[in-house]
Amino acid sequence: MVREGTGPDKSYKIDFNRNEKSITHSDKKFPLKVDWREDWQDLLSYQTQLRLDVKAGKTKVSYPIIGKEGDEKNYEFEVVGTETITLPIGNFETIKVKRVYDNDKRQVYVWFAPSLDHMLVQLFKGKDGVEQFQIQLKHFNNESVNI
């Protein structure tokens, strides 16, 4: 993972080795001492899995996550409905998904567009009702998809 421009810049690499059933970190100061599970996700791969699960019609999903320090987390999501949203490239019918937290302090909503093969087209993250950031699809170039 490489992050630049939103908060402090950082990068790290976590290796999931199925043959050795091990998970290692690129930085020696974070040795990961966790038991192997086939369903582990990292902080990026769960996003791809969420898209695939929404595309498959699932309405509630849960992912066991290994954080960069070897901490174990569980991310839960549920479909809250459909919504037409306006993006810089036009209007889209979307499937709206929210991340389920144990309190109302944080909010994450994700919109997937079935007409774009369930691509993530908008994401909102907030805390205590205040927007932390929002991303939107501004450009899409694929001849096999009609928009």
Side-chain angles (χ1 to χ4, degrees), residues 25 62 131:
H25 195 288
S62 179
E131 177 182 320

Side-chain angles (χ1 to χ4, degrees), residues 77-137:
F77 295 88
E78 69 180 3
V79 172
V80 294
T82 59
E83 185 175 338
T84 301
I85 62 171
T86 301
L87 299 172
I89 61 172
N91 295 330
F92 289 88
E93 287 294 322
T94 64
I95 299 170
K96 185 177 180 181
V97 177
K98 77 172 184 175
R99 178 158 171 213
V100 178
Y101 290 100
D102 57 359
N103 61 53
D104 292 335
K105 289 184 178 186
R106 297 180 289 173
Q107 305 85 38
V108 172
Y109 291 97
V110 186
W111 290 261
F112 296 95
S115 65
L116 298 178
D117 196 25
H118 290 79
M119 179 183 293
L120 186 154
V121 294
Q122 182 170 274
L123 182 141
F124 170 89
K125 183 173 184 181
K127 185 172 183 181
D128 294 325
V130 177
E131 177 182 320
Q132 290 181 305
F133 70 86
Q134 179 170 310
I135 59 172
Q136 289 184 326
L137 181 67

Side-chain angles (χ1 to χ4, degrees), residues 52-91:
L52 294 172
D53 287 342
V54 169
K55 185 177 177 179
K58 295 181 181 180
T59 57
K60 288 188 177 186
V61 293
S62 179
Y63 306 111
I65 307 289
I66 290 289
K68 71 174 185 162
E69 298 171 12
D71 48 322
E72 301 176 22
K73 305 174 184 183
N74 193 56
Y75 284 15
E76 295 182 33
F77 295 88
E78 69 180 3
V79 172
V80 294
T82 59
E83 185 175 338
T84 301
I85 62 171
T86 301
L87 299 172
I89 61 172
N91 295 330

Side-chain angles (χ1 to χ4, degrees), residues 12-53:
Y12 62 89
K13 180 180 177 182
I14 297 176
D15 290 313
F16 290 76
N17 187 322
R18 177 174 274 138
N19 293 333
E20 295 181 14
K21 298 197 181 315
S22 66
I23 303 172
T24 56
H25 195 288
S26 59
D27 187 337
K28 295 288 185 198
K29 74 178 183 177
F30 294 123
L32 304 183
K33 298 190 186 306
V34 296
D35 293 328
W36 178 262
R37 288 176 49 179
E38 286 293 322
D39 59 347
W40 279 129
Q41 299 283 336
D42 65 25
L43 291 168
L44 294 176
S45 66
Y46 84 86
Q47 296 173 28
T48 300
Q49 189 61 54
L50 176 59
R51 175 185 165 264
L52 294 172
D53 287 342

